[in-house]
C-alpha cells in the first residue's frame, strides 16, 4: 500500500514540476517578446527548436 502511495506521489511531483517549468518557459518567452529582445519570428524559431529538442529527448533520437 505504501509503495502505491509513494509512486503516486512521485508522479504528482513530476507532473507539477513539468507544469511549473513549462509555464515559466512560456512566460519567459512572452517577457522577451514584450521587452523587444525577441521578435515574432524569433519566438516561433525558439518554440520550434524547443519542440524538436524535447521530441528528440522523448523519442531518444540523436540530437547532433
Amino acid at each position: 500500500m505504501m509503495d502505491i502511495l509513494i509512486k503516486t506521489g512521485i508522479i504528482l511531483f513530476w507532473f507539477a514540476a513539468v507544469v511549473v517549468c513549462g509555464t515559466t518557459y512560456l512566460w519567459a518567452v512572452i517577457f522577451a517578446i514584450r521587452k523587444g529582445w525577441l521578435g515574432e519570428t524569433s519566438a516561433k524559431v525558439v518554440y520550434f527548436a524547443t519542440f524538436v529538442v524535447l521530441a528528440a529527448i522523448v523519442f531518444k533520437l540523436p540530437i547532433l
Side-chain angles (χ1 to χ4, degrees):
M1 180 68 178
M2 192 65 175
D3 187 43
I4 294 172
L5 291 174
I6 289 173
K7 287 184 180 184
T8 304
I10 291 173
I11 290 171
L12 291 174
F13 167 76
W14 281 112
F15 176 76
V18 167
V19 168
V20 168
C21 289
T23 304
T24 304
Y25 175 76
L26 180 65
W27 282 107
V29 171
I30 290 170
F31 178 76
I33 291 170
R34 288 187 180 167
K35 282 288 198 178
W37 299 337
L38 283 177
E40 187 176 330
T41 304
S42 300
K44 289 179 183 176
V45 170
V46 169
Y47 284 133
F48 180 73
T50 303
F51 172 75
V52 168
V53 169
L54 289 176
I57 291 169
V58 168
F59 293 111
K60 296 181 177 126
L61 301 173
I63 295 176
L64 296 175

Short mmCIF file of all heavy atoms in Angstrom, two decimals:
data_model
loop_
_atom_site.label_atom_id
_atom_site.label_comp_id
_atom_site.label_asym_id
_atom_site.label_seq_id
_atom_site.Cartn_x
_atom_site.Cartn_y
_atom_site.Cartn_z
N MET A 1 0.82 -1.20 0.00
CA MET A 1 0.00 0.00 0.00
C MET A 1 0.87 1.26 0.00
O MET A 1 0.59 2.21 -0.71
CB MET A 1 -0.91 -0.04 1.23
CG MET A 1 -1.83 1.16 1.34
SD MET A 1 -3.03 1.11 0.01
CE MET A 1 -3.99 2.52 0.39
N MET A 2 1.91 1.23 0.82
CA MET A 2 2.79 2.38 0.90
C MET A 2 3.51 2.61 -0.42
O MET A 2 3.76 3.75 -0.82
CB MET A 2 3.81 2.16 2.04
CG MET A 2 4.56 3.38 2.40
SD MET A 2 3.42 4.60 3.07
CE MET A 2 4.57 5.83 3.55
N ASP A 3 3.84 1.52 -1.11
CA ASP A 3 4.52 1.62 -2.40
C ASP A 3 3.65 2.36 -3.42
O ASP A 3 4.16 3.18 -4.19
CB ASP A 3 4.86 0.21 -2.90
CG ASP A 3 5.71 0.23 -4.15
OD1 ASP A 3 6.65 1.04 -4.20
OD2 ASP A 3 5.41 -0.57 -5.06
N ILE A 4 2.37 2.07 -3.42
CA ILE A 4 1.44 2.74 -4.34
C ILE A 4 1.36 4.23 -4.04
O ILE A 4 1.37 5.06 -4.94
CB ILE A 4 0.04 2.08 -4.27
CG1 ILE A 4 0.11 0.65 -4.79
CG2 ILE A 4 -0.98 2.89 -5.05
CD1 ILE A 4 -1.16 -0.14 -4.57
N LEU A 5 1.32 4.57 -2.76
CA LEU A 5 1.26 5.98 -2.38
C LEU A 5 2.54 6.73 -2.76
O LEU A 5 2.48 7.87 -3.23
CB LEU A 5 1.00 6.12 -0.87
CG LEU A 5 -0.38 5.70 -0.39
CD1 LEU A 5 -0.44 5.75 1.13
CD2 LEU A 5 -1.45 6.57 -1.00
N ILE A 6 3.67 6.08 -2.59
CA ILE A 6 4.95 6.71 -2.96
C ILE A 6 5.02 6.93 -4.48
O ILE A 6 5.41 8.00 -4.94
CB ILE A 6 6.14 5.85 -2.47
CG1 ILE A 6 6.22 5.95 -0.95
CG2 ILE A 6 7.45 6.31 -3.10
CD1 ILE A 6 7.24 5.02 -0.33
N LYS A 7 4.63 5.92 -5.24
CA LYS A 7 4.66 6.06 -6.70
C LYS A 7 3.69 7.14 -7.18
O LYS A 7 4.00 7.92 -8.08
CB LYS A 7 4.36 4.72 -7.37
CG LYS A 7 5.50 3.75 -7.27
CD LYS A 7 5.23 2.47 -8.01
CE LYS A 7 6.41 1.54 -7.85
NZ LYS A 7 6.27 0.33 -8.61
N THR A 8 2.51 7.21 -6.59
CA THR A 8 1.54 8.25 -6.93
C THR A 8 2.10 9.62 -6.58
O THR A 8 1.96 10.57 -7.36
CB THR A 8 0.21 8.01 -6.20
OG1 THR A 8 -0.27 6.70 -6.51
CG2 THR A 8 -0.82 9.03 -6.61
N GLY A 9 2.74 9.73 -5.44
CA GLY A 9 3.35 10.99 -5.03
C GLY A 9 4.45 11.43 -5.98
O GLY A 9 4.56 12.62 -6.31
N ILE A 10 5.26 10.50 -6.43
CA ILE A 10 6.33 10.82 -7.38
C ILE A 10 5.75 11.27 -8.71
O ILE A 10 6.23 12.24 -9.32
CB ILE A 10 7.28 9.62 -7.55
CG1 ILE A 10 8.08 9.41 -6.26
CG2 ILE A 10 8.21 9.81 -8.73
CD1 ILE A 10 8.92 8.16 -6.24
N ILE A 11 4.70 10.60 -9.17
CA ILE A 11 4.05 11.00 -10.43
C ILE A 11 3.49 12.42 -10.31
O ILE A 11 3.66 13.24 -11.20
CB ILE A 11 2.96 9.99 -10.81
CG1 ILE A 11 3.58 8.68 -11.24
CG2 ILE A 11 2.06 10.55 -11.91
CD1 ILE A 11 2.59 7.55 -11.43
N LEU A 12 2.82 12.70 -9.20
CA LEU A 12 2.27 14.05 -9.00
C LEU A 12 3.36 15.10 -8.90
O LEU A 12 3.22 16.21 -9.41
CB LEU A 12 1.39 14.06 -7.75
CG LEU A 12 0.08 13.29 -7.85
CD1 LEU A 12 -0.63 13.27 -6.50
CD2 LEU A 12 -0.81 13.88 -8.92
N PHE A 13 4.47 14.76 -8.24
CA PHE A 13 5.59 15.69 -8.14
C PHE A 13 6.14 16.04 -9.52
O PHE A 13 6.35 17.21 -9.84
CB PHE A 13 6.70 15.10 -7.27
CG PHE A 13 8.00 15.85 -7.38
CD1 PHE A 13 8.14 17.07 -6.73
CD2 PHE A 13 9.04 15.37 -8.14
CE1 PHE A 13 9.32 17.78 -6.83
CE2 PHE A 13 10.22 16.07 -8.26
CZ PHE A 13 10.37 17.28 -7.60
N TRP A 14 6.40 15.02 -10.35
CA TRP A 14 6.95 15.29 -11.68
C TRP A 14 5.95 16.01 -12.57
O TRP A 14 6.34 16.85 -13.39
CB TRP A 14 7.43 13.99 -12.33
CG TRP A 14 8.76 13.58 -11.78
CD1 TRP A 14 9.02 12.50 -11.01
CD2 TRP A 14 10.00 14.27 -11.93
NE1 TRP A 14 10.35 12.48 -10.67
CE2 TRP A 14 10.98 13.54 -11.22
CE3 TRP A 14 10.38 15.43 -12.60
CZ2 TRP A 14 12.31 13.95 -11.18
CZ3 TRP A 14 11.71 15.83 -12.54
CH2 TRP A 14 12.65 15.10 -11.84
N PHE A 15 4.68 15.72 -12.42
CA PHE A 15 3.66 16.45 -13.18
C PHE A 15 3.69 17.93 -12.81
O PHE A 15 3.71 18.80 -13.68
CB PHE A 15 2.27 15.87 -12.91
CG PHE A 15 1.17 16.63 -13.59
CD1 PHE A 15 0.95 16.50 -14.94
CD2 PHE A 15 0.37 17.50 -12.87
CE1 PHE A 15 -0.06 17.21 -15.57
CE2 PHE A 15 -0.64 18.21 -13.48
CZ PHE A 15 -0.86 18.07 -14.84
N ALA A 16 3.73 18.22 -11.52
CA ALA A 16 3.78 19.61 -11.06
C ALA A 16 5.08 20.28 -11.52
O ALA A 16 5.06 21.45 -11.95
CB ALA A 16 3.67 19.67 -9.54
N ALA A 17 6.19 19.57 -11.49
CA ALA A 17 7.47 20.13 -11.93
C ALA A 17 7.44 20.49 -13.41
O ALA A 17 7.90 21.57 -13.82
CB ALA A 17 8.60 19.16 -11.64
N VAL A 18 6.87 19.61 -14.23
CA VAL A 18 6.79 19.87 -15.67
C VAL A 18 5.86 21.05 -15.95
O VAL A 18 6.16 21.92 -16.78
CB VAL A 18 6.33 18.60 -16.42
CG1 VAL A 18 5.93 18.91 -17.85
CG2 VAL A 18 7.42 17.55 -16.38
N VAL A 19 4.73 21.12 -15.25
CA VAL A 19 3.80 22.23 -15.46
C VAL A 19 4.44 23.55 -15.06
O VAL A 19 4.34 24.55 -15.78
CB VAL A 19 2.48 21.98 -14.67
CG1 VAL A 19 1.63 23.23 -14.62
CG2 VAL A 19 1.71 20.83 -15.29
N VAL A 20 5.13 23.58 -13.93
CA VAL A 20 5.77 24.81 -13.47
C VAL A 20 6.88 25.24 -14.44
O VAL A 20 6.96 26.42 -14.81
CB VAL A 20 6.32 24.65 -12.04
CG1 VAL A 20 7.25 25.79 -11.65
CG2 VAL A 20 5.18 24.54 -11.05
N CYS A 21 7.70 24.31 -14.88
CA CYS A 21 8.78 24.64 -15.81
C CYS A 21 8.23 25.10 -17.16
O CYS A 21 8.75 26.06 -17.75
CB CYS A 21 9.70 23.44 -16.01
SG CYS A 21 10.70 23.09 -14.57
N GLY A 22 7.21 24.44 -17.65
CA GLY A 22 6.61 24.84 -18.92
C GLY A 22 5.98 26.22 -18.85
O GLY A 22 6.14 27.04 -19.77
N THR A 23 5.30 26.50 -17.76
CA THR A 23 4.69 27.82 -17.59
C THR A 23 5.75 28.91 -17.47
O THR A 23 5.62 29.98 -18.07
CB THR A 23 3.79 27.83 -16.33
OG1 THR A 23 2.84 26.78 -16.46
CG2 THR A 23 3.08 29.14 -16.16
N THR A 24 6.81 28.62 -16.74
CA THR A 24 7.90 29.58 -16.60
C THR A 24 8.56 29.86 -17.95
O THR A 24 8.86 31.00 -18.28
CB THR A 24 8.94 29.06 -15.60
OG1 THR A 24 8.30 28.79 -14.36
CG2 THR A 24 10.06 30.05 -15.39
N TYR A 25 8.78 28.81 -18.72
CA TYR A 25 9.38 28.97 -20.05
C TYR A 25 8.48 29.82 -20.95
O TYR A 25 8.96 30.74 -21.62
CB TYR A 25 9.60 27.59 -20.68
CG TYR A 25 10.09 27.65 -22.10
CD1 TYR A 25 11.41 27.96 -22.36
CD2 TYR A 25 9.24 27.40 -23.16
CE1 TYR A 25 11.88 28.02 -23.66
CE2 TYR A 25 9.69 27.46 -24.46
CZ TYR A 25 11.01 27.77 -24.71
OH TYR A 25 11.46 27.84 -25.99
N LEU A 26 7.20 29.55 -20.94
CA LEU A 26 6.27 30.31 -21.77
C LEU A 26 6.27 31.79 -21.36
O LEU A 26 6.35 32.67 -22.22
CB LEU A 26 4.87 29.73 -21.64
CG LEU A 26 3.77 30.41 -22.45
CD1 LEU A 26 4.05 30.24 -23.94
CD2 LEU A 26 2.42 29.82 -22.10
N TRP A 27 6.21 32.07 -20.06
CA TRP A 27 6.22 33.46 -19.60
C TRP A 27 7.55 34.14 -19.88
O TRP A 27 7.59 35.34 -20.14
CB TRP A 27 5.86 33.53 -18.12
CG TRP A 27 4.39 33.40 -17.91
CD1 TRP A 27 3.74 32.32 -17.40
CD2 TRP A 27 3.38 34.34 -18.27
NE1 TRP A 27 2.39 32.54 -17.41
CE2 TRP A 27 2.14 33.76 -17.93
CE3 TRP A 27 3.41 35.60 -18.84
CZ2 TRP A 27 0.93 34.43 -18.15
CZ3 TRP A 27 2.20 36.26 -19.06
CH2 TRP A 27 0.99 35.67 -18.70
N ALA A 28 8.66 33.39 -19.86
CA ALA A 28 9.97 33.98 -20.19
C ALA A 28 10.01 34.41 -21.65
O ALA A 28 10.52 35.49 -21.97
CB ALA A 28 11.08 32.98 -19.89
N VAL A 29 9.46 33.59 -22.54
CA VAL A 29 9.42 33.96 -23.96
C VAL A 29 8.49 35.16 -24.16
O VAL A 29 8.83 36.10 -24.90
CB VAL A 29 8.99 32.75 -24.82
CG1 VAL A 29 8.73 33.17 -26.26
CG2 VAL A 29 10.04 31.66 -24.77
N ILE A 30 7.35 35.18 -23.50
CA ILE A 30 6.43 36.31 -23.61
C ILE A 30 7.10 37.58 -23.09
O ILE A 30 7.00 38.65 -23.70
CB ILE A 30 5.12 36.03 -22.86
CG1 ILE A 30 4.32 34.95 -23.60
CG2 ILE A 30 4.29 37.30 -22.70
CD1 ILE A 30 3.13 34.43 -22.84
N PHE A 31 7.82 37.47 -21.98
CA PHE A 31 8.54 38.62 -21.42
C PHE A 31 9.59 39.14 -22.40
O PHE A 31 9.73 40.34 -22.60
CB PHE A 31 9.20 38.21 -20.09
CG PHE A 31 10.00 39.29 -19.45
CD1 PHE A 31 9.37 40.34 -18.78
CD2 PHE A 31 11.38 39.28 -19.51
CE1 PHE A 31 10.11 41.34 -18.19
CE2 PHE A 31 12.13 40.27 -18.92
CZ PHE A 31 11.49 41.31 -18.26
N ALA A 32 10.33 38.21 -23.04
CA ALA A 32 11.36 38.61 -24.00
C ALA A 32 10.74 39.29 -25.22
O ALA A 32 11.31 40.24 -25.77
CB ALA A 32 12.17 37.39 -24.43
N ILE A 33 9.57 38.84 -25.64
CA ILE A 33 8.88 39.48 -26.77
C ILE A 33 8.45 40.89 -26.39
O ILE A 33 8.64 41.85 -27.15
CB ILE A 33 7.67 38.64 -27.23
CG1 ILE A 33 8.14 37.34 -27.87
CG2 ILE A 33 6.81 39.42 -28.21
CD1 ILE A 33 7.02 36.36 -28.14
N ARG A 34 7.88 41.04 -25.20
CA ARG A 34 7.43 42.37 -24.75
C ARG A 34 8.58 43.35 -24.57
O ARG A 34 8.43 44.53 -24.80
CB ARG A 34 6.64 42.25 -23.45
CG ARG A 34 5.28 41.64 -23.65
CD ARG A 34 4.46 41.68 -22.39
NE ARG A 34 3.16 41.08 -22.63
CZ ARG A 34 2.33 40.76 -21.67
NH1 ARG A 34 2.64 40.98 -20.42
NH2 ARG A 34 1.16 40.22 -21.97
N LYS A 35 9.73 42.84 -24.13
CA LYS A 35 10.91 43.69 -23.95
C LYS A 35 11.57 44.05 -25.28
O LYS A 35 12.40 44.92 -25.34
CB LYS A 35 11.94 43.01 -23.06
CG LYS A 35 11.62 43.05 -21.60
CD LYS A 35 11.81 44.45 -21.08
CE LYS A 35 11.93 44.44 -19.59
NZ LYS A 35 12.17 45.75 -19.04
N GLY A 36 11.20 43.33 -26.33
CA GLY A 36 11.79 43.58 -27.64
C GLY A 36 13.03 42.76 -27.90
O GLY A 36 13.72 42.99 -28.90
N TRP A 37 13.37 41.84 -27.01
CA TRP A 37 14.54 41.00 -27.21
C TRP A 37 14.30 39.96 -28.29
O TRP A 37 15.23 39.51 -28.95
CB TRP A 37 14.94 40.31 -25.91
CG TRP A 37 15.29 41.26 -24.80
CD1 TRP A 37 15.71 42.55 -24.93
CD2 TRP A 37 15.25 41.00 -23.40
NE1 TRP A 37 15.93 43.10 -23.70
CE2 TRP A 37 15.65 42.17 -22.74
CE3 TRP A 37 14.90 39.89 -22.65
CZ2 TRP A 37 15.72 42.26 -21.36
CZ3 TRP A 37 14.98 39.97 -21.28
CH2 TRP A 37 15.39 41.15 -20.65
N LEU A 38 13.06 39.53 -28.44
CA LEU A 38 12.67 38.57 -29.47
C LEU A 38 11.57 39.17 -30.31
O LEU A 38 10.64 39.78 -29.79
CB LEU A 38 12.13 37.28 -28.84
CG LEU A 38 13.09 36.28 -28.24
CD1 LEU A 38 12.31 35.14 -27.61
CD2 LEU A 38 14.04 35.74 -29.26
N GLY A 39 11.68 38.95 -31.62
CA GLY A 39 10.59 39.34 -32.49
C GLY A 39 9.61 38.17 -32.61
O GLY A 39 9.81 37.10 -32.03
N GLU A 40 8.56 38.38 -33.37
CA GLU A 40 7.57 37.32 -33.53
C GLU A 40 8.16 36.10 -34.22
O GLU A 40 7.93 34.97 -33.83
CB GLU A 40 6.36 37.84 -34.31
CG GLU A 40 5.22 36.86 -34.36
CD GLU A 40 4.00 37.45 -35.06
OE1 GLU A 40 3.81 38.66 -35.00
OE2 GLU A 40 3.27 36.65 -35.66
N THR A 41 8.97 36.34 -35.26
CA THR A 41 9.59 35.23 -35.98
C THR A 41 10.60 34.52 -35.10
O THR A 41 10.66 33.28 -35.09
CB THR A 41 10.29 35.75 -37.26
OG1 THR A 41 9.33 36.45 -38.05
CG2 THR A 41 10.87 34.62 -38.06
N SER A 42 11.38 35.27 -34.34
CA SER A 42 12.36 34.66 -33.44
C SER A 42 11.67 33.79 -32.40
O SER A 42 12.18 32.73 -32.03
CB SER A 42 13.18 35.73 -32.74
OG SER A 42 13.88 36.51 -33.67
N ALA A 43 10.55 34.24 -31.89
CA ALA A 43 9.81 33.47 -30.90
C ALA A 43 9.33 32.15 -31.50
O ALA A 43 9.39 31.10 -30.84
CB ALA A 43 8.62 34.26 -30.37
N LYS A 44 8.89 32.18 -32.75
CA LYS A 44 8.46 30.94 -33.40
C LYS A 44 9.63 29.98 -33.56
O LYS A 44 9.47 28.77 -33.38
CB LYS A 44 7.84 31.26 -34.76
CG LYS A 44 6.49 31.91 -34.66
CD LYS A 44 5.92 32.24 -36.03
CE LYS A 44 4.61 32.97 -35.90
NZ LYS A 44 4.08 33.39 -37.20
N VAL A 45 10.81 30.52 -33.89
CA VAL A 45 12.00 29.68 -34.02
C VAL A 45 12.36 29.06 -32.67
O VAL A 45 12.70 27.88 -32.59
CB VAL A 45 13.18 30.51 -34.58
CG1 VAL A 45 14.49 29.73 -34.49
CG2 VAL A 45 12.92 30.92 -36.01
N VAL A 46 12.28 29.84 -31.60
CA VAL A 46 12.58 29.33 -30.26
C VAL A 46 11.60 28.22 -29.89
O VAL A 46 12.01 27.16 -29.40
CB VAL A 46 12.54 30.48 -29.22
CG1 VAL A 46 12.57 29.93 -27.80
CG2 VAL A 46 13.68 31.44 -29.44
N TYR A 47 10.31 28.43 -30.13
CA TYR A 47 9.32 27.40 -29.83
C TYR A 47 9.57 26.13 -30.63
O TYR A 47 9.49 25.02 -30.12
CB TYR A 47 7.90 27.90 -30.10
CG TYR A 47 7.37 28.84 -29.06
CD1 TYR A 47 6.74 30.02 -29.42
CD2 TYR A 47 7.48 28.56 -27.71
CE1 TYR A 47 6.24 30.90 -28.47
CE2 TYR A 47 6.98 29.42 -26.75
CZ TYR A 47 6.36 30.58 -27.14
OH TYR A 47 5.88 31.43 -26.20
N PHE A 48 9.86 26.29 -31.93
CA PHE A 48 10.08 25.13 -32.79
C PHE A 48 11.33 24.38 -32.35
O PHE A 48 11.33 23.14 -32.28
CB PHE A 48 10.20 25.56 -34.26
CG PHE A 48 10.43 24.39 -35.19
CD1 PHE A 48 9.40 23.52 -35.47
CD2 PHE A 48 11.67 24.17 -35.75
CE1 PHE A 48 9.60 22.44 -36.32
CE2 PHE A 48 11.89 23.10 -36.59
CZ PHE A 48 10.85 22.24 -36.88
N ALA A 49 12.41 25.10 -32.05
CA ALA A 49 13.65 24.46 -31.62
C ALA A 49 13.43 23.69 -30.31
O ALA A 49 13.94 22.58 -30.13
CB ALA A 49 14.75 25.49 -31.45
N THR A 50 12.67 24.29 -29.41
CA THR A 50 12.37 23.61 -28.15
C THR A 50 11.57 22.33 -28.41
O THR A 50 11.84 21.29 -27.81
CB THR A 50 11.58 24.55 -27.22
OG1 THR A 50 12.33 25.73 -27.02
CG2 THR A 50 11.29 23.90 -25.89
N PHE A 51 10.59 22.42 -29.29
CA PHE A 51 9.79 21.24 -29.63
C PHE A 51 10.67 20.13 -30.21
O PHE A 51 10.54 18.96 -29.84
CB PHE A 51 8.70 21.61 -30.63
CG PHE A 51 7.95 20.44 -31.17
CD1 PHE A 51 7.02 19.78 -30.40
CD2 PHE A 51 8.20 19.97 -32.45
CE1 PHE A 51 6.33 18.67 -30.89
CE2 PHE A 51 7.52 18.87 -32.95
CZ PHE A 51 6.59 18.23 -32.16
N VAL A 52 11.59 20.49 -31.10
CA VAL A 52 12.46 19.50 -31.73
C VAL A 52 13.36 18.83 -30.69
O VAL A 52 13.52 17.60 -30.67
CB VAL A 52 13.30 20.15 -32.85
CG1 VAL A 52 14.41 19.22 -33.32
CG2 VAL A 52 12.41 20.54 -34.01
N VAL A 53 13.95 19.63 -29.79
CA VAL A 53 14.83 19.08 -28.77
C VAL A 53 14.05 18.17 -27.82
O VAL A 53 14.50 17.07 -27.49
CB VAL A 53 15.55 20.21 -28.01
CG1 VAL A 53 16.26 19.67 -26.78
CG2 VAL A 53 16.53 20.93 -28.92
N LEU A 54 12.87 18.61 -27.38
CA LEU A 54 12.07 17.78 -26.48
C LEU A 54 11.62 16.49 -27.15
O LEU A 54 11.61 15.43 -26.53
CB LEU A 54 10.87 18.56 -25.96
CG LEU A 54 11.20 19.67 -24.96
CD1 LEU A 54 9.94 20.43 -24.58
CD2 LEU A 54 11.88 19.11 -23.73
N ALA A 55 11.24 16.57 -28.43
CA ALA A 55 10.83 15.35 -29.15
C ALA A 55 12.01 14.40 -29.28
O ALA A 55 11.86 13.18 -29.14
CB ALA A 55 10.29 15.73 -30.53
N ALA A 56 13.20 14.95 -29.54
CA ALA A 56 14.39 14.09 -29.64
C ALA A 56 14.69 13.42 -28.31
O ALA A 56 15.09 12.25 -28.27
CB ALA A 56 15.59 14.92 -30.09
N ILE A 57 14.50 14.14 -27.20
CA ILE A 57 14.74 13.55 -25.89
C ILE A 57 13.71 12.47 -25.58
O ILE A 57 14.04 11.38 -25.13
CB ILE A 57 14.74 14.64 -24.81
CG1 ILE A 57 15.97 15.53 -24.97
CG2 ILE A 57 14.70 14.04 -23.42
CD1 ILE A 57 15.95 16.78 -24.13
N VAL A 58 12.43 12.77 -25.85
CA VAL A 58 11.36 11.81 -25.55
C VAL A 58 11.52 10.53 -26.37
O VAL A 58 11.37 9.43 -25.85
CB VAL A 58 9.98 12.45 -25.79
CG1 VAL A 58 8.89 11.41 -25.78
CG2 VAL A 58 9.71 13.51 -24.75
N PHE A 59 11.84 10.68 -27.66
CA PHE A 59 11.95 9.51 -28.53
C PHE A 59 13.37 8.96 -28.61
O PHE A 59 13.66 8.10 -29.44
CB PHE A 59 11.41 9.83 -29.92
CG PHE A 59 9.94 10.10 -29.93
CD1 PHE A 59 9.45 11.38 -30.16
CD2 PHE A 59 9.03 9.09 -29.67
CE1 PHE A 59 8.09 11.63 -30.16
CE2 PHE A 59 7.67 9.33 -29.66
CZ PHE A 59 7.19 10.61 -29.90
N LYS A 60 14.27 9.49 -27.77
CA LYS A 60 15.66 9.03 -27.67
C LYS A 60 16.36 9.06 -29.03
O LYS A 60 17.05 8.12 -29.42
CB LYS A 60 15.71 7.64 -27.06
CG LYS A 60 15.20 7.62 -25.65
CD LYS A 60 15.29 6.25 -25.03
CE LYS A 60 14.83 6.36 -23.59
NZ LYS A 60 13.80 5.48 -23.21
N LEU A 61 16.17 10.17 -29.75
CA LEU A 61 16.83 10.35 -31.05
C LEU A 61 18.14 11.11 -30.82
O LEU A 61 18.27 11.91 -29.90
CB LEU A 61 15.92 11.16 -31.98
CG LEU A 61 14.55 10.55 -32.26
CD1 LEU A 61 13.70 11.53 -33.04
CD2 LEU A 61 14.69 9.26 -33.03
N PRO A 62 19.12 10.89 -31.70
CA PRO A 62 20.37 11.65 -31.57
C PRO A 62 20.12 13.12 -31.94
O PRO A 62 19.57 13.41 -32.99
CB PRO A 62 21.32 10.99 -32.56
CG PRO A 62 20.44 10.27 -33.52
CD PRO A 62 19.19 9.91 -32.78
N ILE A 63 20.51 14.04 -31.07
CA ILE A 63 20.27 15.46 -31.32
C ILE A 63 21.27 16.01 -32.33
O ILE A 63 20.92 16.77 -33.21
CB ILE A 63 20.28 16.25 -30.00
CG1 ILE A 63 19.12 15.79 -29.14
CG2 ILE A 63 20.20 17.75 -30.25
CD1 ILE A 63 19.09 16.41 -27.76
N LEU A 64 22.53 15.64 -32.19
CA LEU A 64 23.56 16.11 -33.13
C LEU A 64 24.16 14.95 -33.88
O LEU A 64 24.28 13.88 -33.46
CB LEU A 64 24.67 16.86 -32.39
CG LEU A 64 24.21 18.15 -31.69
CD1 LEU A 64 25.38 18.72 -30.89
CD2 LEU A 64 23.76 19.16 -32.69
#
